[in-house]
Amino acid sequence: MPSLPETASPGDRARRRGAFCFLLALAATPVATWLFLNLKPLWLHVEPLKGGAFIFAAAAFGAALALMPVAAVFGWLLALWFGVESVYAPRQRETPFTDRLIVGVGIIAWFLPALGFLASAVHALFSGRVHFVQPARDYLRMVDPIAYWQGVGFLFVTAGVFAWLAWRYWQNKLCRRTEAAQEH
């Protein structure tokens, strides 16, 4: 990627950072997937080594297994973050389609945790069972109604907290965008 001039606008800088993080995510995601799908065959190449070669190969293999998923996740998150920030910062060139795409994906990503907890709460109401993964717990409405309703309440409260946090992030951005559109 060619470097930006010193006079580049904040939106252009954020868009460039977002593009770099997107490329990082696009590169790290398939590598991480490949590493974990081929874990056993790859380890079979490391296991027979002895001494320093084993230590070096095992450390490199472990580092790749640790770093690639982290690079992929951070790449996706930062690409989305910088992309959204670039939409609402001044830029040299307008890109309405890309801006709408970034904002749409951003809104979905920010509100997805709230929707997930809300869906779990609604499912618990209809099924009569609240399931928590860690620690593994199941609360049934007919067997333990107090724990069941506490679990349902927890899911609704958590959905509300995540929705409120997402709304607080997007509130100024969307309201500012609407006001700017009304002025023109």
Side-chain angles (χ1 to χ4, degrees):
M1 296 177 125
S3 63
L4 288 174
E6 290 292 322
T7 60
S9 64
D12 291 332
R13 289 190 185 286
R15 185 66 58 99
R16 175 65 55 95
R17 288 182 189 120
F20 175 77
C21 292
F22 183 70
L23 292 175
L24 172 69
L26 283 179
T29 301
V31 173
T33 305
W34 179 79
L35 281 171
F36 280 97
L37 289 177
N38 296 303
L39 189 63
K40 189 174 182 178
L42 291 171
W43 181 250
L44 291 176
H45 292 290
V46 174
E47 192 176 26
L49 300 174
K50 303 287 183 212
F54 174 77
I55 292 172
F56 178 74
F61 186 58
L65 287 173
L67 294 177
M68 281 301 142
V70 171
V73 168
F74 275 110
W76 290 114
L77 291 175
L78 289 175
L80 186 57
W81 178 269
F82 286 126
V84 168
E85 292 301 316
S86 75
V87 170
Y88 295 100
R91 286 178 288 140
Q92 296 293 333
R93 191 170 56 107
E94 294 296 318
T95 55
F97 176 75
T98 305
D99 291 352
R100 285 189 195 107
L101 182 67
I102 290 170
V103 168
V105 171
I107 289 173
I108 290 169
W110 259 264
F111 282 96
L112 203 57
L115 292 175
F117 277 101
L118 183 63
S120 294
V122 170
H123 179 265
L125 288 174
F126 285 111
S127 69
R129 173 180 162 254
V130 176
H131 174 73
F132 292 103
V133 177
Q134 197 63 312
R137 299 276 191 264
D138 285 313
Y139 300 111
L140 303 173
R141 182 175 39 219
M142 298 308 237
V143 176
D144 194 358
I146 293 174
Y148 167 79
W149 287 110
Q150 285 176 341
V152 171
F154 169 78
L155 292 172
F156 276 117
V157 167
T158 307
V161 167
F162 278 120
W164 180 78
L165 291 171
W167 171 246
R168 290 298 297 162
Y169 176 79
W170 283 99
Q171 183 180 15
N172 291 335
K173 293 183 181 327
L174 295 177
C175 291
R176 191 174 1 142
R177 188 83 160 189
T178 305
E179 290 169 2
Q182 289 174 354
E183 289 175 4
H184 294 306

